[in-house]
């Protein structure tokens, strides 16, 4: 019997918007990947399964120990939170301290069971991550996002060791080395794992794929590459069905038009006979009534067929909208002669690498900024944006810079999507703004949704839409913009950045994403 089952799960927001409904499933594979577009409810579903959120209706049955890695939207957590608190091991560390002070209670012994060497292993993990002079009671805000992510995952895999583990976007903020470590942990995990991710390297580890859309939950009992093939086949099949329905509609319209022409011709012939008096009026009227009855019957049948075809077309369009790729538009500036945007002379960062930086950046540069977690990539971008002062050196900037961070601080949760984009992009009229929002999946009344109700990926898409349309000459500072984007949006964003006429500095740990952009330069910290 499966250890995790769900029956008829439904969830809707307080404003009445339905996220998903009537989801029933059982977790059977060792590694199952849950994929779907931003905003479809993956993280909400994960929270419900982990008993951290109540469904609007439905039931979850789990007969095993459960572990949950929550997606990190705010890397630093609370300012006063310790590392032990952040990684969920504070009770164990406190129990160890209490036992060392002679408080050998049954509760403390239960908490410490299997983790008597926790302090030694914790210190070894800090060394592996390159973290110096930190203890369990140190503040978590002094760790990089990647370091804190790995410590949280390490605690789940090696200390808590649940039977079932849900990982919601675990590779966000991890460098290449950290991602390799995570993949190794997944391979060695003895229990079942539900993986929510948009990272292709991680998804390749899954034995089964679940896809969540507004149409429900679809099961693909295959690996990720086979899932992609099946998805493309779905799109092709739906397009073929839609083309067939359109052809039937056109054929029906042509037949209807031909019938009208024949009817008009017969009516003209009947009128001529009536005027000539060659046939009795009673016979002519009888023929006219019979023709009118036939025409009425044909019209009803035609209307019935038209209605059925229209409903079929609408249903196919809805399915295709959920299956086929969205669009992602960038404002494109008129090509101008490249010029120097940034100049760094012996700049020393406040955090990360302590090697002075000497660098020149031009308006058409597409730079991939890389390096291990903690080397100062985000710090460099914030220094360029004058959010964090440099310790030393000279920094010169000759162009407007727009910084998109990992926490969507650009977005005002109190405003609607349309209000957010109109607030920043003064050069856009409402019609253009709505077209841009439609291009990232927000159509019709969805533009009036408040930003507070958006998922992390939806906020990132809105923020990308804003920074790329603020002004045509903007130079973008992109701090892991792909972190919260679904697979489809990642591909579309990569295509857009590849064709973007302006310049940018990009931080990303997703090799597939970076390779598809085709950056012109790489800077390693």
């Amino acid at each position: 019997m499966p250890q995790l089952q769900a029956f008829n799960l439904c969830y809707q927001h307080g404003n009445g918007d339905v996220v998903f409904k009537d989801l029933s499933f059982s977790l059977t594979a060792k590694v199952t990947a849950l994929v779907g577009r931003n905003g479809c409810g993956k993280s909400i579903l994960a929270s419900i399964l982990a008993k951290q959120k109540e469904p609007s209706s439905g039931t979850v049955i789990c007969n095993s120990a459960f572990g949950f890695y929550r997606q990190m939207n705010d890397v630093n957590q609370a300012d006063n939170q310790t590392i032990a608190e952040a990684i969920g091991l504070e009770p164990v560390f406190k129990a160890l301290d209490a036992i060392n002070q002679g408080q050998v209670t049954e509760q403390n012994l239960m908490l410490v069971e299997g983790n008597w060497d926790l302090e030694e292993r914790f210190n070894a993990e800090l060394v592996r991550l390159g973290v110096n002079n930190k203890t369990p009671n140190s503040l978590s805000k002094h760790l990089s996002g990647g370091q804190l992510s790995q410590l949280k995952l390490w605690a789940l895999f090696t200390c808590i060791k649940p039977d079932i583990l849900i990982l919601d976007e675990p590779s966000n903020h991890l460098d290449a080395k950290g991602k390799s470590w995570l993949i190794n942990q997944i391979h060695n995990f003895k229990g079942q794992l539900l993986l929510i991710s948009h990272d292709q390297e991680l998804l390749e580890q899954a034995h089964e794929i679940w896809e969540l859309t507004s149409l429900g939950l679809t099961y693909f009992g295959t690996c990720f590459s086979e899932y992609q093939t099946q998805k493309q086949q779905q799109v092709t099949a739906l397009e073929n069905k839609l083309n067939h329905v359109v052809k039937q509609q056109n054929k029906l319209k042509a037949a209807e038009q031909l019938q009208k022409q024949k009817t008009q011709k017969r009516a003209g012939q009947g009128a001529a006979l009536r005027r000539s008096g060659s046939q009795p009026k009673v016979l002519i009227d009888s023929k006219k009534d019979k023709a009118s009855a036939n025409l009425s019957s044909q019209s009803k049948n035609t209307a019935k067929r038209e209605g059925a075809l229209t409903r079929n077309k609408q249903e196919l369009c809805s399915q295709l909208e959920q299956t086929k790729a969205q669009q992602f538009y960038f404002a494109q500036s008129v090509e101008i002669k490249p010029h120097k945007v940034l100049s760094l002379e012996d700049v020393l960062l406040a955090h990360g690498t302590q090697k002075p930086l000497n660098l020149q950046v031009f308006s058409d540069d597409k730079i991939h900024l890389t390096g291990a977690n903690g080397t100062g990539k985000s710090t460099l971008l914030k220094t360029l944006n004058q959010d964090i002062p440099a310790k030393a050196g000279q920094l010169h900037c000759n162009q407007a810079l727009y910084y998109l961070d990992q926490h969507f601080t650009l977005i005002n949760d109190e405003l609607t999507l349309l209000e957010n984009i109109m607030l920043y992009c003064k050069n856009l009229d409402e019609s253009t703004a709505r077209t841009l929002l439609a291009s990232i999946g927000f159509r019709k009344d969805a533009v009036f949704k408040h930003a507070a109700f958006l998922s992390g990926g939806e906020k990132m898409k809105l923020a990308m839409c804003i920074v790329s349309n603020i002004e045509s000459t903007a130079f973008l500072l992109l701090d892991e913009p792909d972190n919260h984007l679904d697979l489809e949006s990642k591909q579309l964003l990569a295509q857009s950045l590849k064709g973007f006429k302006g310049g940018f500095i990009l931080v990303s740990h997703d090799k597939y994403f970076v390779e598809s952009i085709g950056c012109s330069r790489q800077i390693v910290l």
Side-chain angles (χ1 to χ4, degrees):
M1 179 179 174
Q3 294 176 312
L4 176 64
Q5 294 177 294
F7 301 95
N8 305 117
L9 287 185
C10 302
Y11 188 85
Q12 65 182 81
H13 291 301
N15 63 357
D17 289 346
V18 176
V19 181
F20 51 73
K21 60 182 180 180
D22 299 328
L23 300 186
S24 297
F25 53 84
S26 299
L27 192 66
T28 55
K30 186 178 186 298
V31 181
T32 300
L34 176 62
V35 299
R37 287 182 179 173
N38 295 132
C40 69
K42 299 185 298 297
S43 293
I44 291 174
L45 179 58
S47 295
I48 291 172
L49 296 178
K51 301 293 180 73
Q52 295 192 4
K53 189 185 287 288
E54 288 293 323
S56 301
S57 61
T59 307
V60 175
I61 298 175
C62 183
N63 302 313
S64 303
F66 215 92
F68 181 36
Y69 176 91
R70 185 188 293 275
Q71 182 179 157
M72 288 176 61
N73 286 336
D74 184 355
V75 170
N76 291 329
Q77 306 288 309
D79 286 341
N80 60 350
Q81 191 174 46
T82 66
I83 295 175
E85 289 174 316
I87 66 176
L89 292 180
E90 185 191 28
V92 185
F93 277 112
K94 282 188 173 181
L96 274 172
D97 288 340
I99 290 172
N100 289 333
Q101 294 171 18
Q103 300 175 31
V104 186
T105 66
E106 185 178 349
Q107 183 180 7
N108 286 338
L109 288 172
M110 286 179 61
L111 284 168
V112 173
E113 185 180 358
N115 286 300
W116 290 98
D117 60 345
L118 178 59
E119 290 188 12
E120 290 81 2
R121 289 189 290 125
F122 176 79
N123 290 330
E125 188 64 14
L126 291 184
V127 171
R128 186 186 72 82
L129 294 173
V131 178
N132 301 315
N133 304 318
K134 295 291 185 292
T135 70
N137 294 320
S138 298
L139 296 180
S140 63
K141 68 180 181 180
H142 297 309
L143 299 176
S144 73
Q147 290 166 342
L148 185 55
S149 294
Q150 285 192 66
L151 278 175
K152 282 188 169 189
L153 290 163
W154 167 81
L156 283 167
F157 279 114
T158 67
C159 302
I160 300 172
K161 301 179 190 175
D163 298 314
I164 297 176
L165 182 55
I166 294 182
L167 303 180
D168 190 0
E169 297 290 356
S171 63
N172 284 2
H173 316 296
L174 296 188
D175 56 21
K177 189 176 178 181
K179 199 179 296 184
S180 177
W181 171 86
L182 174 57
I183 290 172
N184 189 54
Q185 295 297 316
I186 290 173
H187 284 167
N188 294 331
F189 185 59
K190 302 301 182 185
Q192 287 182 293
L193 198 148
L194 179 61
L195 172 66
I196 301 173
S197 180
H198 302 307
D199 190 308
Q200 191 167 332
E201 281 185 88
L202 283 192
L203 292 172
E204 294 290 357
Q205 316 309 313
H207 307 121
E208 186 170 294
I209 307 293
W210 294 357
E211 183 183 47
L212 183 60
T213 70
S214 63
L215 304 174
L217 195 63
T218 306
Y219 310 95
F220 296 84
T222 60
C223 63
F224 181 69
S225 55
E226 180 60 27
Y227 154 77
Q228 288 184 306
T229 301
Q230 290 185 23
K231 281 287 290 180
Q232 186 53 52
Q233 290 171 347
Q234 275 188 353
V235 172
T236 302
L238 285 170
E239 287 178 334
N240 289 339
K241 286 181 180 179
L242 185 59
N243 288 335
H244 180 66
V245 169
V246 171
K247 285 180 181 178
Q248 285 183 308
Q249 283 184 317
N250 291 337
K251 188 175 179 180
L252 189 62
K253 285 179 181 177
E256 189 177 10
Q257 183 62 33
L258 181 62
Q259 185 60 42
K260 283 182 179 179
Q261 291 174 351
K262 287 181 179 179
T263 301
Q264 289 174 351
K265 185 176 180 181
R266 290 195 192 102
Q269 291 172 343
L273 284 172
R274 180 181 289 274
R275 287 194 299 271
S276 69
S278 60
Q279 290 188 11
K281 288 185 179 181
V282 173
L283 179 60
I284 293 173
D285 289 342
S286 175
K287 288 181 178 180
K288 182 180 179 183
D289 291 342
K290 187 177 180 181
S292 296
N294 288 337
L295 182 61
S296 176
S297 177
Q298 288 174 356
S299 297
K300 287 179 181 178
N301 289 335
T302 299
K304 191 174 181 180
R305 286 188 63 196
E306 282 180 344
L309 287 171
T310 299
R311 288 191 296 274
N312 196 1
K313 182 180 178 181
Q314 289 172 343
E315 185 177 341
L316 288 170
C317 286
S318 176
Q319 293 179 27
L320 198 56
E321 186 178 330
Q322 289 297 323
T323 309
K324 197 174 181 180
Q326 303 172 28
Q327 300 296 314
F328 207 131
Y329 297 118
F330 270 78
Q332 295 295 321
S333 59
V334 178
E335 291 202 39
I336 54 176
K337 186 177 179 180
H339 59 277
K340 189 184 296 183
V341 174
L342 293 163
S343 179
L344 284 73
E345 300 172 9
D346 295 321
V347 168
L348 195 61
L349 299 179
H351 308 290
T353 181
Q354 292 306 293
K355 183 179 179 181
L357 300 177
N358 289 282
L359 180 67
Q360 290 188 337
V361 178
F362 291 85
S363 57
D364 61 346
D365 278 339
K366 295 184 177 182
I367 299 171
H368 177 214
L369 178 61
T370 185
N373 290 136
T375 52
K377 300 182 296 297
S378 294
T379 300
L380 174 55
L381 293 188
K382 290 176 182 177
T383 302
L384 297 178
N385 201 46
Q386 299 185 355
D387 294 329
I388 297 178
K391 281 185 180 179
Q394 296 292 318
L395 170 62
H396 304 283
C397 180
N398 305 313
Q399 188 170 319
L401 303 178
Y402 290 98
Y403 176 63
L404 178 56
D405 68 357
Q406 304 163 15
H407 317 308
F408 332 115
T409 51
L410 191 75
I411 305 299
N412 186 331
D413 282 347
E414 303 300 317
L415 301 180
T416 66
L417 279 72
L418 184 59
E419 287 169 341
N420 264 289
I421 196 169
M422 295 294 287
L423 174 68
Y424 288 103
C425 307
K426 308 292 186 184
N427 56 321
L428 299 181
D429 56 35
E430 184 175 328
S431 176
T432 305
R434 295 189 68 153
T435 300
L436 289 169
L437 288 170
S439 78
I440 55 174
F442 302 110
R443 298 176 176 83
K444 299 180 180 178
D445 289 345
V447 302
F448 302 118
K449 180 190 292 187
H450 278 79
F453 291 107
L454 300 180
S455 69
E458 288 176 315
K459 281 189 176 182
M460 184 57 78
K461 286 200 284 188
L462 175 60
M464 282 299 308
C465 188
I466 288 171
V467 299
S468 61
N469 289 281
I470 287 177
E471 61 177 80
S472 59
T473 57
F475 189 89
L476 306 181
L477 305 177
L478 306 173
D479 196 349
E480 301 191 58
D482 55 311
N483 252 1
H484 300 278
L485 294 180
D486 56 49
L487 287 164
E488 178 186 299
S489 298
K490 273 191 180 188
Q491 295 166 356
L492 292 165
L493 177 57
Q495 292 170 13
S496 297
L497 288 173
K498 186 175 182 179
F500 188 50
K501 293 177 183 177
F504 56 79
I505 299 176
L506 167 72
V507 176
S508 175
H509 296 302
D510 188 327
K511 68 177 183 180
Y512 293 99
F513 178 69
V514 174
E515 286 172 1
S516 57
I517 292 171
C519 294
S520 56
R521 292 174 62 187
Q522 185 181 70
I523 297 173
V524 182
L525 293 187

